[in-house]
Structure formats: C-alpha cells, structure tokens
Amino acid sequence: MYQAQTPAPPVVTVGIQGATALRSHTIAANSSTQTTVNVLVAAGVTLLGIGVLAVGAPAAGIVVHAHAVAP
C-alpha cells in the first residue's frame, strides 16, 4: 500500500530590521507550507538612574527577512 510522504519543514533563518528598541524573535511554528515568526519589542527605561528593559510587546513596523532551505 502506498503512503504519501509529508515533506519535512524547511530549515529557516530569520533576520529582522526596523525600530530602535531591543527586539527579539522566535519561530513560533514551522511546517512544510508556512513559517510563523513572533517579534517582540522592548523599550529601554531608566528608573532612578538604572537602565532596565520594559515588558516585551508585539512589534509593529518590523521587516522580517526569512530564508528557508530544504533539510
């Protein structure tokens, strides 16, 4: 009996650009048909002369560059 093989998800590398605050990204999902990237932005805050990071929030105006290759 023939069983169709599901293609393996690609190996994805991600680069982000835009905004001046600290940015972090994670690949939230990766399949053979789509890749979802979650980008957070956190502004630096100075509190009593000490620099701290604010809580991350979903980023707007960010360009995500993704490069996918077969595994």
Side-chain angles (χ1 to χ4, degrees):
M1 179 176 248
Y2 174 76
Q3 290 185 346
Q5 295 291 326
T6 303
V11 176
V12 179
T13 56
V14 176
I16 53 177
Q17 76 181 75
T20 56
L22 175 72
R23 298 175 305 273
S24 67
H25 68 278
T26 56
I27 296 176
N30 189 26
S31 72
S32 60
T33 58
Q34 72 180 26
T35 299
T36 303
V37 179
N38 184 22
V39 180
L40 296 177
V41 62
V45 177
T46 302
L47 182 62
L48 299 174
I50 300 171
V52 295
L53 289 175
V55 174
I62 300 295
V63 176
V64 176
H65 300 277
H67 179 74
V69 295

